[in-house]
Amino acid sequence: MAKEEIQYVWSDKKRTLFGLPLSFTRYFLTETKFITRKGFLSLEEDELELYKVVDKKMQLSLGQRLFGCGTIVLYVKDTDTPVKEVLSVKAPRRVAQLIDKYVDQQRDRFHIRGRDMMGATHRDYLDESDDMEDEVEYDDAE
């Protein structure tokens, strides 16, 4: 059985001094996931589903701007990685646009909007019997 190959939309390495890709951290974007792979001999891989991305921001320091790099910070509704930093990648604005495009596609696929992932209140979990109890008035003078 042949191993199924993953189709990457974008990939890059973390840039170091002078914008050179001299790092063992690699980033991959597929249509459904963002993957971070770190390490040389032993690899650590972290995946996050794109529909869970709530917000993002871009950080462009002077040194990064001189070499066309930047950092993208993703805020995610994920238990193990609530904040994902995509450190010092080339063309960060183009990468941010790609991430936005595929985040929106995944949200549309699952019929999810950002507000759907916000914390739910306790009233969201009440059943009908609990709603009927709310209509009954109790005498607090007992």
Side-chain angles (χ1 to χ4, degrees), residues 37-141:
R37 187 178 296 151
K38 295 179 183 178
F40 178 63
L41 294 177
S42 63
L43 292 175
E44 177 184 323
E45 197 168 285
D46 185 29
E47 294 183 0
L48 61 93
E49 298 287 336
L50 289 178
Y51 75 90
K52 293 182 179 182
V53 174
V54 178
D55 196 14
K56 69 173 179 26
K57 74 176 178 180
M58 196 173 343
Q59 298 172 339
L60 304 166
S61 69
L62 178 62
Q64 287 177 328
R65 286 192 330 230
L66 287 174
F67 299 105
C69 296
T71 297
I72 301 169
V73 181
L74 301 173
Y75 298 96
V76 186
K77 280 293 190 181
D78 193 24
T79 54
D80 65 334
T81 316
V83 177
K84 168 64 77 182
E85 288 188 343
V86 185
L87 298 169
S88 195
V89 292
K90 278 282 192 196
R93 292 187 197 284
R94 186 180 65 82
V95 175
Q97 288 173 347
L98 274 173
I99 292 171
D100 276 343
K101 175 184 172 183
Y102 290 107
V103 164
D104 288 340
Q105 282 182 3
Q106 288 303 300
R107 285 182 179 175
D108 290 344
R109 180 177 165 217
F110 291 108
H111 305 291
I112 295 174
R113 291 287 101 193
R115 66 180 177 272
D116 296 336
M117 292 184 285
M118 296 301 159
T121 64
H122 71 283
R123 301 237 359 117
D124 294 338
Y125 300 106
L126 295 176
D127 62 4
E128 290 179 13
S129 64
D130 291 336
D131 288 340
M132 291 201 288
E133 277 184 27
D134 292 341
E135 295 174 6
V136 178
E137 292 183 25
Y138 293 101
D139 187 11
D140 291 340

